[in-house]
Amino acid sequence: MKNNPSITIDGLQFDWNLSKGEFLFEQEDAVLFWITSAMKEFFDTIEEISGEEASTLVFETAGFRQGTVVGKYFEDLKHLKVEEAAEMITATYASAGWGYAHIEDLDTASKTVRVRLKGSWEYKINKAQGKKRRGNFLPAHYAGIFSVFFGQNVWFEIKEDQIAGAETTVIDYFPSTITITENIHALLRKKESQQIMQLEAMVEDKTRDLKELIKQISSPVIPVLDGVVVVPLLGKYDQERAEELVYNTLNKLPSYKANYLVLDLTALDDEVDQLTISLLEKISGAAALIGTETVLVGLSAKLSITIAESGIDISRFHCFQTLQHGIYYALSQQGKQII
């Protein structure tokens, strides 16, 4: 075989320089790949790394931008009309193995055109991939070509799809505000929004877990001795936390067979509000309904004054300065003592 074979087909020049490993198509460097093996693997790799949505935009963007390069090349051939350039492109692509392409209903006034494709290399790759819907490289590629020819951004709509069972793929092109740049930004905004939603969901989950942990440790119900349960009140209470304390305490008192509920107020917030005072009244009243007597311990002078000023009848509580005194009292009332 000669080192520099050359052939002309329908006016198109193909040249090889085997000593340099070069293939020239119309005096330009070109390259040949097997479609359903090497090129399929190339497409599969991009989709695997980028994900389906992002890879679709990658192929679409690459196709459009390559189309503008082709469009500008033929636009520079000033002696060609748009119709002639379009026909020359399809003939050139057919000779390069791009499949059958036919330009229909080209209207330079309305800047619309229909392209019919059959057996394109992209179709063959998508079919080898087992896809049910064709890719957008070639549709976007022709959009790039006609955007240059018409001097206005052109986009497309696939009317029939060969890979979905149609005899050919039919694509309509028309002036549009849709651009590759906007599509890229839209995808980035979508991914950013998805990341924000994921972060918000994560924060919500962590917040829910934290709230549950706070519920468990902020007001524990501690069975210290037979018939005696201690509940330490910690920090400052809001409506939700107060209701959780009442529910949790009253739910556990029967299981512990508690005769005495010792509320330890030592760790209450210094700024005791009316909600906390109301909590004391509510929890003691509810405990009394199930036969459990409430004992208050750890009252500071400030807290005692606040309770007294609140109007609660403090005389119905047995109050002690320390937890130890409160437990001793509860045990003695049951005829028991710590030895």
Side-chain angles (χ1 to χ4, degrees):
M1 186 176 182
K2 295 188 298 183
N3 281 337
N4 298 85
S6 177
I7 188 172
T8 300
I9 301 176
D10 288 339
L12 298 169
Q13 187 71 27
F14 298 83
D15 298 284
W16 291 264
N17 187 325
L18 301 185
S19 62
K20 293 183 178 180
E22 292 179 344
F23 167 56
L24 302 180
F25 176 53
E26 286 290 283
Q27 288 79 52
E28 293 285 342
D29 279 324
V31 64
L32 300 176
F33 284 104
W34 288 290
I35 292 175
T36 57
S37 55
M39 286 299 293
K40 173 185 174 297
E41 190 64 30
F42 175 69
F43 271 50
D44 287 342
T45 301
I46 291 177
E47 291 176 359
E48 180 183 355
I49 295 173
S50 304
E52 182 177 356
E53 188 173 26
S55 62
T56 296
L57 185 57
V58 168
F59 294 134
E60 190 175 85
T61 303
F64 184 90
R65 289 176 176 171
Q66 284 190 9
T68 61
V69 172
V70 173
K72 289 174 182 176
Y73 171 81
F74 281 91
E75 186 183 41
D76 289 340
L77 304 176
K78 302 299 184 181
H79 64 282
L80 290 178
K81 296 180 179 180
V82 171
E83 295 84 354
E84 294 172 333
E87 291 297 333
M88 184 176 290
I89 287 173
T90 58
T92 302
Y93 283 1
S95 68
W98 281 46
Y100 168 84
H102 187 254
I103 306 299
E104 303 174 358
D105 304 328
L106 193 156
D107 188 336
T108 55
S110 63
K111 300 181 180 179
T112 58
V113 64
R114 168 170 286 190
V115 176
R116 188 179 299 271
L117 304 176
K118 186 174 184 179
S120 71
W121 60 262
E122 186 173 28
Y123 161 76
K124 293 174 182 177
I125 290 175
N126 294 156
K127 187 176 180 181
Q129 291 175 308
K131 292 188 174 182
K132 302 299 181 183
R133 182 176 180 276
R134 67 164 297 115
N136 281 350
F137 182 96
L138 285 178
H141 183 78
Y142 282 97
I145 291 173
F146 286 107
S147 290
V148 174
F149 284 176
F150 293 150
Q152 179 173 343
N153 191 75
V154 168
W155 203 240
F156 64 89
E157 181 180 357
I158 299 175
K159 309 299 290 187
E160 298 178 21
D161 190 351
Q162 186 181 1
I163 205 166
E167 183 178 352
T168 59
T169 294
V170 178
I171 312 162
D172 284 345
Y173 293 88
F174 45 84
S176 174
T177 57
I178 297 174
T179 66
I180 287 297
T181 301
E182 288 175 352
N183 287 348
I184 293 173
H185 291 166
L187 179 61
L188 291 175
R189 288 193 298 270
K190 181 178 179 180
K191 288 189 174 295
E192 184 179 67
S193 177
Q194 290 173 340
Q195 290 175 344
I196 291 173
M197 290 175 65
Q198 289 173 352
L199 288 173
E200 288 177 344
M202 187 183 301
V203 170
E204 186 176 338
D205 288 342
K206 294 299 182 183
T207 301
R208 184 165 52 249
D209 292 343
L210 182 59
K211 284 184 176 180
E212 186 61 32
L213 180 61
I214 290 173
K215 288 178 182 178
Q216 294 175 9
I217 67 175
S218 64
S219 298
V221 178
I222 307 169
V224 291
L225 293 166
D226 288 345
V228 181
V229 168
V230 174
V231 174
L233 272 61
L234 309 172
K236 189 177 183 63
Y237 285 83
D238 56 19
Q239 187 68 38
E240 181 180 356
R241 191 167 171 232
E243 290 177 358
E244 180 64 27
L245 172 63
V246 173
Y247 174 81
N248 191 41
T249 301
L250 297 182
N251 191 48
K252 292 184 177 180
L253 287 180
S255 62
Y256 293 137
K257 298 179 181 179
N259 297 317
Y260 286 88
L261 168 62
V262 181
L263 294 179
D264 186 357
L265 314 182
T266 306
L268 270 181
D269 191 90
D270 288 340
E271 299 298 327
V272 179
D273 57 17
Q274 189 58 42
L275 178 61
T276 304
I277 300 301
S278 175
L279 169 62
L280 298 177
E281 189 172 33
K282 183 182 296 185
I283 197 170
S284 62
L289 293 176
I290 59 175
T292 302
E293 185 176 339
T294 301
V295 178
L296 302 182
V297 301
L299 280 81
S300 64
K302 184 175 182 180
L303 178 57
S304 299
I305 294 173
T306 303
I307 292 176
E309 291 177 346
S310 69
I312 295 179
D313 183 9
I314 198 70
S315 64
R316 60 191 179 91
F317 296 105
H318 291 283
C319 302
F320 298 91
Q321 188 172 3
T322 67
L323 176 60
Q324 183 180 15
H325 290 148
I327 293 175
Y328 281 160
Y329 167 79
L331 287 176
S332 66
Q333 292 301 304
Q334 298 179 96
K336 301 174 183 179
Q337 61 180 346
I338 298 177
I339 300 178

